Amino acid sequence: MTRTRLLPPLLAFLLALSPAAQAQASAPASPSPIDAAFEAAERGDLGPAERALRTAEGDAAALLRARLAAARYDAAVARDPALARLAESGDRALRDAALAILTSASFAGGDYRAAEAWGRRLAEAQAARGDAEGAAGTERAWRLAALLAGSPALAVEGEVREGETAARLDRVGLPRIDMAVNGMAQEAVFDTGANLSVLSAETARRLGLRLLDGASNVGNGVQGTVPIRVGIADRLTIAGTMLRNVPFLIIDDAQLTFPIPGGYDIKAIVGLPVMRALGRMRLAAAAGRFAVLAPAEAQPAPPNMSASGNNVFVTVAVDGQSVPMHLDTGANPTRLSALYAAAHPETVAALARSQAGLASAGGAVAVSVATWRDAPLALAGRTLVLPSLQVALPAAAGPAPRFMGVLGSDVLGRFESYTLDFRAMRLELGGPVAAAAR
């Protein structure tokens, strides 16, 4: 199958809904092992937390256990009495870490009222200690939770059913699948990088979504924020499984139109909460199929995915060095961030440099990049050589990168299929696609 490879990146729709990451914004220059472990976990690296837990005791051990459980989407985390107790602690670091976990886990679990309450407290604590940027990010999260607080949580009607629907790669290489919203057919980008599902305003009107009172804004994948409304779909059906009370961010159509020659827009995005509800699924775009699968009978291997709220990470070996990368099927191409550049200056110094554009909902920005030709990668038991891998260079202005890198559809599309299992927390890859078919 031939496809158009998008240069520069099109869509990295990353909503600013990770208060735990914001809680680390004012960490000291020489953080404690536990502070460092929490900061690394927000970037998808659980190694420091696992090592710190071996010697931690008391409240520190309770926090680390909760953080590692949250990385597996353990629903019990949001109800952990130890976290609720620590949220009342007089120790600022313990309190803020507990509040961050509770806010993030409550939102990811669909308990929006609790996410609003915990998030308000965390934002107040951040503002009180002078962390204006962190407080602003957390406020966006709790205000969005507040809009959703009066609605039932997303839930599967009956049980998840095995089934298939059509899938394809669009003209810029992003995966799209067929679904039905309130009984009406709709194509949608399959985007693990979307913290909530998304509809354009006109599409939401056509599909009959129930709009909630109030408006808010979310961070986009570049700089600034995007104004949004929130709507609820009574029914969303994918591959024979029906979900109820599905929240969507409603964004003006112009914000989902991108400056691609010939024109390109997005009407709908299926985000991570829907995928988590489906549990286990396989996308085989080359074969034109998306399948919802039965749960694995047994854990086939240790987890290779981890979570931070509604962000999912996969460890990728880049030239033999492990790098936790944000799994974002709505991004194209795969890229490394300025965090990677800062951590590996010798590697980046040898690469050719240029300017590139990054586009997302609501805007675009030019960034300085280094380009790694024929970059060797390994993930989920497979290896490949990526012809071109961009590395963003540190910038004097603008928001700091949150992740070490993004694993996008250009890498995943080099395999016949990929399977996401949010119960086993595993990514599995099919066989490699022949070079002539890419």
Side-chain angles (χ1 to χ4, degrees), residues 16-196:
L17 298 179
S18 182
Q22 299 289 352
Q24 296 296 328
S26 61
S30 299
S32 71
I34 291 178
D35 288 334
F38 270 70
E39 188 173 358
E42 297 309 318
R43 297 194 303 269
D45 181 4
L46 300 182
E50 292 167 342
R51 291 190 292 272
L53 183 58
R54 295 171 191 161
T55 56
E57 298 178 346
D59 291 339
L63 280 172
L64 288 165
R65 283 193 295 269
R67 183 60 191 84
L68 291 170
R72 302 188 300 270
Y73 282 135
D74 184 341
V77 171
R79 303 185 300 274
D80 187 340
L83 285 181
R85 174 179 59 80
L86 290 171
E88 306 295 336
S89 172
D91 183 306
R92 181 199 62 79
L94 293 177
R95 180 199 65 212
D96 288 4
L99 287 171
I101 296 172
L102 287 165
T103 304
S104 185
S106 297
F107 197 103
D111 189 349
Y112 305 118
R113 199 173 299 281
E116 176 194 2
W118 296 123
R120 279 179 182 266
R121 290 181 55 187
L122 178 58
E124 290 169 357
Q126 290 169 319
R129 68 172 187 263
D131 181 8
E133 182 180 354
T138 302
E139 182 175 354
R140 287 196 295 270
W142 73 251
R143 286 192 180 279
L144 181 57
L147 293 179
L148 289 161
S151 300
L154 180 156
V156 173
E157 176 83 357
E159 59 184 22
V160 174
R161 301 179 180 180
E162 292 186 83
E164 290 190 347
T165 191
R168 65 203 63 84
L169 293 177
D170 67 17
R171 61 188 294 261
V172 301
L174 298 187
R176 299 199 179 212
I177 66 172
D178 288 350
M179 63 181 188
V181 179
N182 292 337
M184 290 173 277
Q186 178 62 50
E187 179 190 69
V189 173
F190 182 79
D191 187 0
T192 57
N195 292 171
L196 284 177

Side-chain angles (χ1 to χ4, degrees), residues 382 414-419 428-433:
R382 301 289 187 182
R414 295 171 70 87
F415 300 93
E416 294 174 344
S417 67
Y418 57 88
T419 300
E428 297 176 357
L429 298 171
V433 173

Side-chain angles (χ1 to χ4, degrees), residues 18-398:
S18 182
Q22 299 289 352
Q24 296 296 328
S26 61
S30 299
S32 71
I34 291 178
D35 288 334
F38 270 70
E39 188 173 358
E42 297 309 318
R43 297 194 303 269
D45 181 4
L46 300 182
E50 292 167 342
R51 291 190 292 272
L53 183 58
R54 295 171 191 161
T55 56
E57 298 178 346
D59 291 339
L63 280 172
L64 288 165
R65 283 193 295 269
R67 183 60 191 84
L68 291 170
R72 302 188 300 270
Y73 282 135
D74 184 341
V77 171
R79 303 185 300 274
D80 187 340
L83 285 181
R85 174 179 59 80
L86 290 171
E88 306 295 336
S89 172
D91 183 306
R92 181 199 62 79
L94 293 177
R95 180 199 65 212
D96 288 4
L99 287 171
I101 296 172
L102 287 165
T103 304
S104 185
S106 297
F107 197 103
D111 189 349
Y112 305 118
R113 199 173 299 281
E116 176 194 2
W118 296 123
R120 279 179 182 266
R121 290 181 55 187
L122 178 58
E124 290 169 357
Q126 290 169 319
R129 68 172 187 263
D131 181 8
E133 182 180 354
T138 302
E139 182 175 354
R140 287 196 295 270
W142 73 251
R143 286 192 180 279
L144 181 57
L147 293 179
L148 289 161
S151 300
L154 180 156
V156 173
E157 176 83 357
E159 59 184 22
V160 174
R161 301 179 180 180
E162 292 186 83
E164 290 190 347
T165 191
R168 65 203 63 84
L169 293 177
D170 67 17
R171 61 188 294 261
V172 301
L174 298 187
R176 299 199 179 212
I177 66 172
D178 288 350
M179 63 181 188
V181 179
N182 292 337
M184 290 173 277
Q186 178 62 50
E187 179 190 69
V189 173
F190 182 79
D191 187 0
T192 57
N195 292 171
L196 284 177
S197 297
V198 178
L199 290 175
S200 73
E202 174 57 28
T203 304
R205 183 200 63 76
R206 179 177 61 81
L207 297 177
L209 261 69
R210 175 171 55 87
L211 293 184
L212 304 182
D213 292 336
S216 187
N217 58 71
V218 296
N220 63 8
V222 289
Q223 296 185 26
T225 60
V226 178
I228 57 99
R229 295 286 303 274
V230 178
I232 303 294
D234 178 56
R235 292 169 291 139
L236 172 65
T237 304
I238 298 179
T241 293
M242 179 182 293
L243 298 94
R244 293 280 191 175
N245 306 309
V246 181
F248 282 86
L249 300 182
I250 311 302
I251 299 179
D252 185 75
D253 291 59
Q255 305 279 23
L256 291 171
T257 300
F258 300 89
I260 305 300
Y264 182 87
D265 62 10
I266 291 174
K267 303 297 186 185
I269 297 171
V270 171
L272 194 70
V274 169
M275 301 176 199
R276 287 184 54 207
L278 294 175
R280 184 167 176 251
M281 65 220 73
R282 178 174 295 134
L283 183 69
R289 306 306 298 168
F290 172 83
V292 174
L293 307 174
E297 294 184 0
Q299 180 78 7
N304 61 9
M305 298 195 309
S306 67
S308 176
N310 276 331
N311 294 308
V312 174
F313 300 88
V314 174
T315 297
V316 179
V318 180
D319 197 23
Q321 297 181 312
S322 294
V323 180
M325 299 182 71
H326 182 229
L327 178 62
D328 189 352
T329 57
N332 196 4
T334 294
R335 60 194 182 277
L336 296 169
S337 78
L339 288 177
Y340 177 90
H344 302 276
E346 299 84 359
T347 298
V348 176
L351 306 179
R353 303 190 176 202
S354 62
Q355 292 290 114
L358 175 64
S360 184
V365 63
V367 295
S368 297
V369 301
T371 300
W372 190 335
R373 302 295 181 188
D374 297 326
L377 307 180
L379 67 156
R382 301 289 187 182
T383 61
L384 71 151
V385 174
L386 194 61
S388 177
L389 176 61
Q390 288 186 347
V391 185
L393 300 175

